[in-house]
Amino acid sequence: MIAVVDYEAGNIRSVCNALTRLGAEYIVTDDPEKIRNASKVILPGVGNAKIAVESLRSKGLDRIIRMRRKPVLGICVGMQIMCRRSEEDNAIGLGIFDCDVKRFLPTNDAKVPHMGWNTISNLESKLFKGINEKEYVYYVHSYYANLCTDTIATTRHADVLFSAALKYENFYGTQFHPEKSGDIGSTILNNFLSL
Amino acid sequence: MVAKRIIPCLDVKDGAVVKGVNFEGLKEVGDAVEMGRKYSLDGADELVYLDISASKEGRSTFVNLVEKIALNINIPFCVGGGITSVDDASRLLDAGADKITVNSAAVARPELITEIASKYGSQFVVCAIDAKVSDGIWRVTTHGGSRFSERELFSWAQQAQERGAGEILFTSMDHDGTKSGYACEVYKQLSTTLSIPVIASGGAGKISDIADVLTDGCADAALAASIFHYGEIPIPVLKNELKKLGIPIR
């Protein structure tokens, strides 16, 4: 069973709709036992990293997630809160991915939020099986994770090269929204479900 | 580099996509979910659905429709029309919309932008602005272009950004429906003075109009309706031509 974590992370419905389209069975839950035992866990996320991570902590889910040995996927803010810390309201993350989350500075060539379709490159994971370099996926974010040894895909917004996806052991994160990235996104989600 | 977006706009009345000039003589052009799915398969980057139902029944039909769209379409979509409160926005978010547009209600009460953005984030709030030239000034209009407000386009767009709007969707009422090209100079000024993305709407007639607004007009996205609905410019052909011109396109 796939567990979609129910916490204060904005709209989780898109992720559920995407799982439904893929024919996957899932539950939306904040029950620590179910999240501990699920075959896959998805941490969706749109909104504020600090609110999201504090909601996770208040439910006692941060440790449950960190201790999992089966696949976990964080999406957007869900990925950012799996990093060490974020400049967004100085949020302290779960410290799974070995990087920090910083704010984009607006310039003439780089509007903030970074919103729309951008590419993924330097793909290094089974998550991207069947996906070509420089395919387009959908992003909406004002903060980014810097490059680190856990980076498994990169993208560029004006001068900033950052992590489009991260992986450490059984933990995966995508800055982009696979649930909104057309057929490419469906393939990536399906690859996660097949891990 | 972020790709420039191509966005078909679908006006919805009582569940069906309609098209008309100046909202008179509306013609039904198709089913909202089916058309959205087709556009998504054709390579549309995003969809905008505007509810033009005037009735309460029409509004609740629209929320049900948004749920169906969210279940069937795997690209982002934005919905708008008649949003006057955070509750209206919440209902559409819960139904699965990725973004909402506010227009007349925000002109009357700009705090609406702040309220929705602080609850759901700037990425969720698109400020739609309709304006036309009056005595040499771009004045903001409301109620589908039928009424002039006291606001001036550029200062209103700036205020919308400061209040937390994540994007500006500007429609030139002087160009809308003319198919003679977008108001490129205006988009250029908006795009270079704002730090948030600008979506151009109103005036698309041919491929070069869209190319112009995405290059000279510096717009981040181009929105159009009838040229797509009536198959005058198929999206795959359009995107291919734009790519040939060196415009970053998905």
Side-chain angles (χ1 to χ4, degrees):
Chain A
M1 182 61 82
I2 301 156
V4 178
V5 180
D6 185 10
Y7 69 128
E8 283 190 49
N11 188 7
I12 61 175
R13 181 153 185 161
S14 316
V15 170
C16 296
N17 283 339
L19 293 173
T20 302
R21 284 194 294 271
L22 290 170
E25 281 185 38
Y26 65 89
I27 48 167
V28 176
T29 183
D30 61 357
D31 180 335
E33 271 313 295
K34 287 181 177 151
I35 291 169
R36 196 196 314 270
N37 297 324
S39 60
K40 304 279 184 329
V41 165
I42 299 180
L43 268 179
V46 177
N48 181 294
K50 176 120 172 173
I51 292 171
V53 77
E54 285 184 352
S55 162
L56 211 59
R57 284 208 179 90
S58 70
K59 292 168 186 280
L61 297 176
D62 52 326
R63 298 181 60 185
I64 301 281
I65 288 168
R66 223 176 352 220
M67 286 166 68
R68 274 182 57 88
R69 289 297 169 259
K70 288 185 217 161
V72 175
L73 173 65
I75 297 173
C76 193
V77 168
M79 177 204 85
Q80 292 179 358
I81 64 173
M82 290 161 74
C83 299
R84 287 189 303 229
R85 63 183 74 81
S86 170
E87 286 183 359
E88 187 167 20
D89 299 334
N90 295 315
I92 303 297
L94 304 189
I96 293 167
F97 299 129
D98 195 19
C99 58
D100 293 337
V101 177
K102 297 178 174 157
R103 193 173 208 291
F104 284 118
L105 299 173
T107 67
N108 282 342
D109 335 313
K111 294 193 175 179
V112 178
H114 171 227
M115 169 156 12
W117 297 82
N118 203 337
T119 51
I120 39 176
S121 301
N122 304 309
L123 308 178
E124 280 177 40
S125 167
K126 281 191 280 190
L127 199 60
F128 301 114
K129 192 179 163 206
I131 305 288
N132 296 323
E133 289 282 317
K134 298 201 186 296
E135 289 282 13
Y136 280 93
V137 289
Y138 188 76
Y139 297 84
V140 185
H141 60 124
S142 300
Y143 295 80
Y144 65 92
N146 57 10
L147 298 178
C148 66
T149 52
D150 299 335
T151 303
I152 54 167
T154 65
T155 193
R156 179 184 289 279
H157 183 40
D159 290 343
V160 185
L161 187 66
F162 62 95
S163 296
L166 294 161
K167 175 186 182 290
Y168 176 73
E169 295 184 348
N170 55 310
F171 297 96
Y172 294 78
T174 62
Q175 180 57 66
F176 57 88
H177 289 271
E179 75 279 15
K180 285 286 159 187
S181 296
D183 293 343
I184 299 295
S186 302
T187 303
I188 293 169
L189 262 187
N190 219 6
N191 286 343
F192 174 73
L193 299 183
S194 306
L195 286 172
Chain B
M1 186 172 195
V2 190
K4 302 279 187 180
R5 287 170 280 159
I6 300 300
I7 308 178
C9 179
L10 302 93
D11 287 341
V12 176
K13 189 164 193 285
D14 305 323
V17 178
V18 293
K19 184 68 199 168
V21 178
N22 301 328
F23 288 29
E24 288 163 25
L26 289 174
K27 187 179 164 190
E28 205 171 306
V29 292
D31 175 79
V33 176
E34 277 314 307
M35 283 181 73
R37 188 153 41 192
K38 182 185 176 296
Y39 285 138
S40 147
L41 290 172
D42 277 355
D45 296 305
E46 198 169 314
L47 302 171
V48 171
Y49 285 93
L50 292 180
D51 179 21
I52 60 165
S53 312
S55 66
K56 207 174 172 186
E57 294 74 26
R59 297 249 181 270
S60 63
T61 307
F62 188 66
V63 174
N64 295 335
L65 179 67
V66 170
E67 288 184 4
K68 286 193 197 118
I69 296 164
L71 193 54
N72 282 284
I73 287 168
N74 60 10
I75 59 169
F77 71 100
C78 173
V79 301
I83 294 169
T84 60
S85 66
V86 174
D87 284 350
D88 289 342
S90 304
R91 269 191 289 278
L92 294 163
L93 175 98
D94 291 343
D98 297 294
K99 308 175 185 181
I100 52 103
T101 65
V102 290
N103 193 334
S104 300
V107 172
R109 202 175 66 82
E111 296 79 11
L112 180 63
I113 297 173
T114 322
E115 290 164 9
I116 302 175
S118 59
K119 185 148 187 199
Y120 298 120
S122 289
Q123 84 294 331
F124 185 62
V125 188
V126 179
C127 183
I129 305 177
D130 300 335
K132 57 184 166 189
V133 176
S134 163
D135 297 330
I137 295 167
W138 278 94
R139 282 180 62 193
V140 176
T141 63
T142 61
H143 303 82
S146 61
R147 298 184 204 173
F148 276 110
S149 75
E150 293 304 307
R151 299 186 189 280
E152 182 271 334
L153 169 64
F154 298 101
S155 58
W156 172 229
Q158 191 68 42
Q159 187 187 153
Q161 171 177 300
E162 282 159 15
R163 285 188 173 277
E167 283 176 284
I168 298 291
L169 162 55
F170 165 57
T171 305
S172 161
M173 301 311 278
D174 291 333
H175 294 70
D176 199 29
T178 63
K179 297 197 175 186
S180 59
Y182 293 88
C184 276
E185 282 303 310
V186 184
Y187 290 108
K188 186 173 182 183
Q189 193 174 337
L190 283 172
S191 198
T192 49
T193 52
L194 298 174
S195 65
I196 56 178
V198 175
I199 305 167
S201 154
K206 48 190 192 302
I207 290 174
S208 61
D209 295 335
I210 294 174
D212 288 347
V213 81
L214 295 177
T215 52
D216 300 344
C218 304
D220 298 281
L223 176 145
S226 52
I227 56 163
F228 298 138
H229 298 341
Y230 296 131
E232 292 163 26
I233 303 179
I235 292 174
V237 174
L238 168 65
K239 294 188 90 171
N240 210 16
E241 290 299 316
L242 296 175
K243 270 183 207 166
K244 278 191 213 160
L245 294 168
I247 299 171
I249 291 288
R250 176 171 73 109

